[in-house]
Structure formats: C-alpha cells, structure tokens
Amino acid sequence: MRFLLTYLLVVVTVMVNLDVPVAFAEGAPAIAPDQLFGESAILIDATTGQVLFEKNPHVRLYPASITKIATGIYAIEKGNPDDTVTVSKKARFEEGTRVYLGEGEQVSLRKLEYGLLMHSGNDAATAIAEHMSGTTEQFAQELNAYLAEKVGVTETHFANAHGLHDPNHYTTAADMAKIAQYAMKNPIFRQIVGTNRLPWDGKEWKSELINHNKLLRDYPGATGIKNGFTDQAMHTLVGSAKRGDTEMIAVTMKAASSNYAYKDVVKLLDFGLNGYETKQIAAKGERYTEVSSPGSDSQVTYSAKDDLYATVPKGTEPLVQLASDGQLSVTAGALAVSYPLERHDLPVQPKPTVIASALALDDSPPVARYSVLIAWLGMNLFLIGCAIARSRKARRVRQRDWQRRVN
C-alpha cells in the first residue's frame, strides 16, 4: 500500500511539473512525409516563417503556374496599376490557360494582374512581362534578380512569367513558401488572390472570372493563393488560411492529381492551424536591460527593432529571455528561436577635472603614488623638526634672560 501511494505521488508530481499543456498534447497529430502525395511539401507560419513541416523541401522541381505568384507580386510592386498595356501578337497566341486577350487590345495593368492570379492567364503573364521589361526573356532576368534581393531565394530560376515548361525553369517548395510569404504581406496581392469571383469584360471575352483556387470555396478561413499544372510539373499548389491571428502557408509540388494536391494542402493547413498559434513576444521599441559584465553595476540596454512574433504550440506560454549576446531567446515546447535586438550603449560620462593633488593620487600609477606620499611625509617631518628646533631655541633664550635677572 505504501509503495502504491508513493508511486501515485511521484506520477502526480511529474504531471504537475510538466510544462506541456493539455491543448498541446491534444493538438493535430503529427504528419509523416509518406502521408502526403506530393513529391515535395512544406508548411510555414505566414507571420514568422517558422517551418512546421517539410518533405524534400529543397528538391528542384518545375512549378507550373505557381510561378505567377512571383510574376504577380513583381508587377504589383514594380508596376503602375493604372498603366495601359497593349496586348502583343505573342501574348494573344500564348498557349495554355488564357483570359482571351485580343491582339492590340488595351488593358490596365491592374486588370491583367487579376486575370493572371485569379484565372491563371498565360496571355496576361506575357502581356505583363512585355510591358514591364520589353521582352519575356528580359523580364525573367529581372524577376530572378528581384526574388533574390527581396525574398532571398537561392534555389529558384525562372525562364518565363507564366510557368509553362522550360528545362531551366525551376524552384523548390522551400523557396515557393518564401515567395508566397513575401507576396502575402502586400495588401493588393492579398486582395487579388483572395477574390473568388470578378466580372471580366474583354475585347474578345466577356465572362466572370472564378478563382481557380478551390480552397477559397472549400476550406474555412482560406486566404489564397495559387494552383498550377503542366505535364512535366504535374500538380502544384500553394495554399494559405487564417484563423484568428494565425495564418499558415502550405506548398505541395508534383502531386499526381489535383485532388491529391488539395488533400496535401488541407492536411498541412489543418496540422498547422489546429496545433500552433502565432503570438507576439515583443513590441517595436520594447527595451531589455542586463548588466554589462558579471559583478558590474553598469548596464546595457537592447530594444526590439520591430514587432516580434513566435510560433508556439497551442496553449503554451513562450519563455522569453535576453541572452548574453543581445539575442532575444524564445522557447515554446520543441520550438526555439532567437531574434537579434538593437543595442543601446550608455553615453560616456566625461571624467571630472582633478584640482586637489590628493585626488590626483587616485589616477596615478602605484610607483608615482607612493613617491608623492613619501615626499609629503618627508615635508611634514621636516616642518615638524623645524618647529621643534625653534621651540628649543626660544626656551634657551628665555633661560639665559632669567639667569641674567637673577644675577
């Protein structure tokens, strides 16, 4: 009986001290890579970029029309939406999915962006590329440079604006997640990819655009983004969804069917949104202070350069600590991340001017300090000796005067 009570006490103690809330323990079940149909996949937090799942994320694959995510954000950031674009013969006869632009038709760049991202118009992609760069080849070069500079991709090379097959047109799931994360920070891009239906009044085609991304109609909280297909790339899909303050971005590439691609993305989004949440851990300008060195009274101050967020298992409270190197360390469950802070050194105080010679001793070298002290003592002894000698002389003079008066 005593053994049983001891055992129960130990179990209760361990459970009470576990820093893993029930919500985390009951979160979405983990995903095994072989449970996904795509050859490559990744899931990230759209706010923090934290990777929550990956399967062959750095394998080079053909992207198909998810290329248009890059073309779209480039056109939005670098172009003027009110520009009038004249459709060329090349754009008019572009193969694949089209919004049926007419040769010589004049369309605003803004309208082409909707045709590009909602209806996946290859003709809209070519028209945008020629308008912005003169040729589709030059556009591809500029697009690659833009993605490297703005997004920081390292595994991507695009040869065109639409994603039709080219052996030199490739990317990875990891890079596509970064591109999508960057693009979704732009409110215009976000509005376009989140639009489900839009009237289309063109020269050769009058219809209603229905966004090709089925997530917008079938998945609660879906916010975007883009699907794609070619025979070589097979089915690709970049999806995003938001619940509360938490938004996830999922990518799957080279799935055998559209149905498989959507199943992959739904499984990834469910895993992310059911198991994790985005929490703000510091506000812009928030300050942190620590002593400059052990045993010192002086302090060093750091501040957050931007609002800082962390991805944490649902129900967990992140542990936030200032590290000795000025990094803000955040730990939550199995996730750990550090953010650099801006250092603020205290202003250097000018040294007070030393007037008294005794104060100067504090800043003097030891040898000089002792020499001054010995000299000072010697001077005092000399003065004392002089005083004693004068006193004795005065006494002898008084004695002689007294003897003379007596005699």
Side-chain angles (χ1 to χ4, degrees):
M1 186 67 176
R2 184 182 300 173
F3 173 82
L4 179 59
L5 291 173
T6 303
Y7 174 80
L8 290 175
L9 179 61
V10 171
V11 171
V12 170
T13 303
V14 170
M15 292 181 67
V16 167
N17 286 281
L18 278 176
D19 193 20
V20 181
V22 176
F24 176 50
E26 296 180 353
I31 305 174
D34 59 5
Q35 291 179 298
L36 298 183
F37 297 101
E39 184 174 318
S40 177
I42 194 168
L43 173 71
I44 68 168
D45 183 319
T47 301
T48 67
Q50 176 71 52
V51 176
L52 300 173
F53 173 86
E54 54 187 11
K55 173 186 178 180
N56 303 324
H58 304 292
V59 173
R60 286 185 180 181
L61 295 171
Y62 301 125
S65 283
I66 58 176
T67 301
K68 297 183 175 88
I69 297 172
T71 300
I73 188 59
Y74 181 82
I76 290 168
E77 288 198 345
K78 294 293 186 178
N80 181 349
D82 296 321
D83 276 359
T84 298
V85 179
T86 301
V87 179
S88 70
K89 182 177 181 179
K90 179 177 180 178
R92 161 65 179 83
F93 289 99
E94 194 64 82
E95 60 180 289
T97 307
R98 298 167 50 212
V99 287
Y100 301 100
L101 299 172
E103 183 179 352
E105 181 178 357
Q106 294 190 320
V107 191
S108 71
L109 182 60
R110 179 186 290 106
K111 185 175 181 179
L112 289 176
E113 291 164 357
Y114 276 90
L116 173 84
L117 293 168
M118 285 184 62
H119 196 73
S120 201
N122 294 332
D123 49 355
T126 297
I128 289 171
E130 292 180 330
H131 173 73
M132 296 191 68
S133 304
T135 66
T136 55
E137 294 77 14
Q138 181 62 29
F139 177 83
Q141 291 182 25
E142 294 173 2
L143 179 61
N144 288 323
Y146 165 86
L147 293 174
E149 177 189 353
K150 293 290 187 178
V151 185
V153 298
T154 58
E155 304 165 336
T156 296
H157 182 270
F158 290 148
N160 56 56
H162 38 59
L164 289 172
H165 181 67
D166 185 301
N168 293 317
H169 189 93
Y170 56 82
T171 187
T172 65
D175 268 6
M176 280 310 309
K178 292 177 184 178
I179 294 169
Q181 181 192 16
Y182 178 83
M184 287 296 280
K185 292 177 182 178
N186 185 292
I188 298 174
F189 180 93
R190 175 180 284 274
Q191 178 182 345
I192 295 174
V193 298
T195 300
N196 192 15
R197 293 174 177 267
L198 183 75
W200 185 269
D201 186 9
K203 179 181 177 181
E204 296 185 1
W205 192 50
K206 301 182 188 302
S207 183
E208 182 183 40
L209 300 185
I210 299 177
N211 199 312
H212 284 197
N213 179 14
K214 298 176 185 178
L215 289 172
L216 294 178
R217 296 176 289 279
D218 298 338
Y219 191 84
T223 54
I225 302 176
K226 188 77 186 70
N227 62 315
F229 170 78
T230 64
D231 290 338
Q232 297 82 2
M234 301 180 73
H235 292 270
T236 60
L237 177 62
V238 181
S240 62
K242 187 173 184 179
R243 293 179 192 168
D245 295 327
T246 303
E247 185 172 32
M248 297 288 169
I249 293 174
V251 181
T252 188
M253 300 183 70
K254 204 171 184 180
S257 71
S258 174
N259 186 41
Y260 286 163
Y262 279 98
K263 283 186 175 182
D264 280 358
V265 166
V266 167
K267 185 182 288 288
L268 289 169
L269 292 175
D270 281 347
F271 172 73
L273 293 171
N274 291 338
Y276 298 90
E277 59 185 332
T278 309
K279 283 192 174 184
Q280 183 171 357
I281 50 108
K284 182 179 180 179
E286 189 169 341
R287 289 181 172 258
Y288 300 84
T289 303
E290 69 169 3
V291 293
S292 58
S293 59
S296 171
D297 292 333
S298 62
Q299 295 181 326
V300 180
T301 301
Y302 301 89
S303 68
K305 292 179 282 187
D306 299 290
D307 292 339
L308 300 179
Y309 298 85
T311 309
V312 303
K314 273 195 172 180
T316 63
E317 193 61 36
L319 175 64
V320 182
Q321 295 177 309
L322 178 64
S324 59
D325 59 355
Q327 300 267 334
L328 194 64
S329 172
V330 182
T331 306
L335 298 177
V337 65
S338 295
Y339 298 92
L341 299 176
E342 184 175 7
R343 176 171 175 154
H344 302 279
D345 290 323
L346 295 176
V348 178
Q349 298 293 334
K351 292 184 179 180
T353 303
V354 178
I355 299 177
S357 59
L359 293 178
L361 292 174
D362 293 338
D363 296 326
S364 303
V367 174
R369 199 177 303 165
Y370 290 130
S371 299
V372 173
L373 180 60
I374 292 171
W376 180 77
L377 290 174
M379 183 178 296
N380 279 275
L381 290 174
F382 173 75
L383 293 175
I384 292 172
C386 291
I388 292 173
R390 284 198 299 270
S391 176
R392 288 178 177 174
K393 183 178 180 180
R395 189 184 307 162
R396 287 196 297 271
V397 170
R398 287 197 298 273
Q399 287 177 349
R400 285 198 299 269
D401 291 343
W402 180 75
Q403 288 176 352
R404 287 174 186 161
R405 286 197 296 270
V406 171
N407 296 329

